[in-house]
């Protein structure tokens, strides 16, 4: 037998013939609601077996008024996650809600419960031991991107982007340089983001007759790991004429490695990035990138979580967050030569 779905606030509102805000006010005893309307809402709730979320009541009453953000360990050196967190804090502060950062290394197996009414989980990763504990904690959770396939459970909300489409759009800019051997530097299948990038890249290669080359790298790769992976890629595939950089800020180190290797960006090779970075417009040449709009994404996650806690959004809500490609000098014109090692093969 299929499991019965728990009654939601919207179900109560429809049964009583009122809006969600009116139903919420009637159930919480706030707002200007007539006795007749309140009675109708309470009767509908009783008929449907509706139970209000305790975390939502706490947030509305100001008993806790705190949401948590669970982010990868890379936060301290990532301009993306710094901007994302700033977006969460900005929106929460405007709604009189505090924000606490929850370290992923201690978010499972804690000796005490997480003191937050709800959580935002940024880029949930495959194999993360904290995720099952968080999802079973009873705390409402909004994820930024979908959960990886190896995680059982369902978040209360998700803000997601079509990174597959973003990669396809990025490859349209790459087409301008007339490449033959592009390679993708990424951590395959670690997050929904990286999985979509790989899918979009493989689809683009198949359409154009390119042989896909994926240079694996850790999701949280430090500078030296980016350098080593790039050097290994160039040694194994000297014919590479485009490097598509996955990890945040990795394009900076890739450009430096190419310079040391005697490769000339815009001549025999070029670079694009799957994550924009404040420095990329100022490199020579400037680097074409996917703008993931991290600050706005943080705002969207905070808004959805607070709406769920306060009964304005339903459990299981999913919102698509738009991203865009910023075309710059690195894909402005065709490459003019081939790396000499290719001719010697």
């Amino acid at each position: 037998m299929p499991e019965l779905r728990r009654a939601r606030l919207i179900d109560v509102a429809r049964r009583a013939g009122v809006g969600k805000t009116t139903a919420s006010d009637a159930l919480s005893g706030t707002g200007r609601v007539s006795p007749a309307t309140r009675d109708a809402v309470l009767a509908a709730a009783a008929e449907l077996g509706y139970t209000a979320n305790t975390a939502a009541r706490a947030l509305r009453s100001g008993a806790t008024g705190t949401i948590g953000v669970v982010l990868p360990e890379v936060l301290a050196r990532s301009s993306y996650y710094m901007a994302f967190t700033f977006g969460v804090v900005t929106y929460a502060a405007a709604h009189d809600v505090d924000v606490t950062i929850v370290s992923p290394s201690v978010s499972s197996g804690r000796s005490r419960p997480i003191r937050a009414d709800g959580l935002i989980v940024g880029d949930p990763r495959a194999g993360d031991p904290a995720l099952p504990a968080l999802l079973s904690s009873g705390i409402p959770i909004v994820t930024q991107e979908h959960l990886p396939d190896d995680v059982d459970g369902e978040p209360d909300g998700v803000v997601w982007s079509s990174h597959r489409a973003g990669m396809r759009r990025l490859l349209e800019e790459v087409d301008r340089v007339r490449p033959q051997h592009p390679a993708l530097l990424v951590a395959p299948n670690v997050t929904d983001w990286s999985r979509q990038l790989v899918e979009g890249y493989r689809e683009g290669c198949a359409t154009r007759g390119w042989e896909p080359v994926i240079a694996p790298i850790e999701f949280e790769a430090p500078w030296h790991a980016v350098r080593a992976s790039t050097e290994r890629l160039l040694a194994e595939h000297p014919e590479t004429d485009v490097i598509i950089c996955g990890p945040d800020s990795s394009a900076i180190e890739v450009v430096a490695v190419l310079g040391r290797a005697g490769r000339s960006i815009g001549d025999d090779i070029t670079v694009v990035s799957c994550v924009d970075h404040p420095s990329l417009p100022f490199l020579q040449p400037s680097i074409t990138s996917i703008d993931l709009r991290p600050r706005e994404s943080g705002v969207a996650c905070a808004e959805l979580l607070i709406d769920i806690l306060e009964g304005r959004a339903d459990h299981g809500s999913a919102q698509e967050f738009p991203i865009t490609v910023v075309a710059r000098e690195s894909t402005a014109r065709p490459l003019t030569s081939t790396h000499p090692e290719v001719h010697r093969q």
Side-chain angles (χ1 to χ4, degrees):
M1 292 292 290
E3 184 178 352
L4 294 177
R5 177 174 61 80
R6 187 178 65 181
R8 303 167 300 173
L9 178 62
I10 187 63
D11 300 322
V12 174
R14 288 170 178 165
R15 176 68 65 91
V18 298
K20 285 177 62 177
T21 300
T22 300
S24 178
D25 289 345
L27 290 168
S28 63
T30 60
R32 295 183 178 181
V33 180
S34 69
T37 298
R38 181 171 284 108
D39 290 344
V41 171
L42 293 175
E47 292 171 8
L48 295 173
Y50 172 78
T51 302
N53 185 287
T54 56
R57 288 199 301 265
L59 188 61
R60 288 179 66 86
S61 65
T64 302
T66 299
I67 60 175
V69 184
V70 183
L71 295 169
E73 297 283 5
V74 75
L75 169 65
R77 61 178 186 272
S78 169
S79 66
Y80 175 86
Y81 287 115
M82 292 296 287
F84 175 82
T85 304
F86 183 75
V88 172
V89 171
T90 299
Y91 185 87
H95 292 77
D96 199 25
V97 175
D98 293 328
V99 177
T100 184
I101 304 297
V102 179
S103 171
S105 61
V106 297
S107 56
S108 62
R110 294 167 59 95
S111 59
R112 57 185 174 80
I114 297 172
R115 298 180 62 83
D117 297 302
L119 294 174
I120 295 170
V121 179
D123 276 314
R125 289 178 295 160
D128 185 349
L131 280 176
L134 291 175
L135 291 169
S136 62
S137 67
I139 301 175
I141 289 175
V142 165
T143 61
Q144 180 209 30
E145 310 301 351
H146 294 287
L147 291 173
D149 293 337
D150 71 336
V151 177
D152 293 328
E154 179 182 341
D156 296 83
V158 58
V159 175
W160 63 278
S161 297
S162 180
H163 302 290
R164 194 171 175 177
M167 173 60 77
R168 290 198 299 264
R169 178 69 187 88
L170 183 63
L171 290 178
E172 290 175 1
E173 291 299 322
V174 169
D175 285 337
R176 297 176 184 272
V177 308
R178 300 177 187 170
Q180 295 298 318
H181 306 285
L184 174 62
L185 189 71
V186 75
N189 302 319
V190 173
T191 65
D192 186 54
W193 167 77
S194 61
R195 178 188 60 80
Q196 288 194 57
L197 290 180
V198 170
E199 289 179 354
Y201 170 70
R202 290 191 179 278
E203 290 170 358
C205 288
T207 300
R208 294 163 173 82
W210 298 335
E211 183 67 27
V213 173
I214 297 176
I217 190 170
E218 294 179 5
F219 180 74
E220 299 174 351
W223 292 106
H224 63 84
V226 175
R227 184 184 312 123
S229 184
T230 306
E231 292 171 346
R232 186 165 52 249
L233 169 64
L234 295 174
E236 296 175 356
H237 299 277
E239 73 280 5
T240 299
D241 50 15
V242 177
I243 298 180
I244 305 169
C245 304
D248 180 20
S249 75
S250 60
I252 302 169
E253 186 61 32
V254 169
V255 168
V257 170
L258 290 175
R260 291 192 293 269
R263 302 296 295 269
S264 177
I265 297 180
D267 182 14
D268 60 50
I269 196 168
T270 197
V271 175
V272 296
S273 178
C274 298
V275 184
D276 203 14
H277 186 276
S279 68
L280 298 189
F282 303 103
L283 296 182
Q284 294 296 325
S286 55
I287 305 299
T288 294
S289 306
I290 300 176
D291 184 2
L292 300 179
R293 303 171 56 229
R295 182 182 182 280
E296 292 82 359
S297 179
V299 168
C301 288
E303 181 177 12
L304 179 57
L305 178 58
I306 291 174
D307 281 352
I308 289 173
L309 293 174
E310 296 192 342
R312 293 189 296 271
D314 297 332
H315 170 85
S317 295
Q319 296 180 2
E320 181 175 5
F321 181 76
I323 57 178
T324 187
V325 170
V326 181
R328 298 193 178 104
E329 295 170 354
S330 68
T331 56
R333 60 182 177 82
L335 298 174
T336 56
S337 68
T338 302
H339 186 52
E341 289 188 22
V342 176
H343 292 304
R344 293 199 294 267
Q345 291 180 348

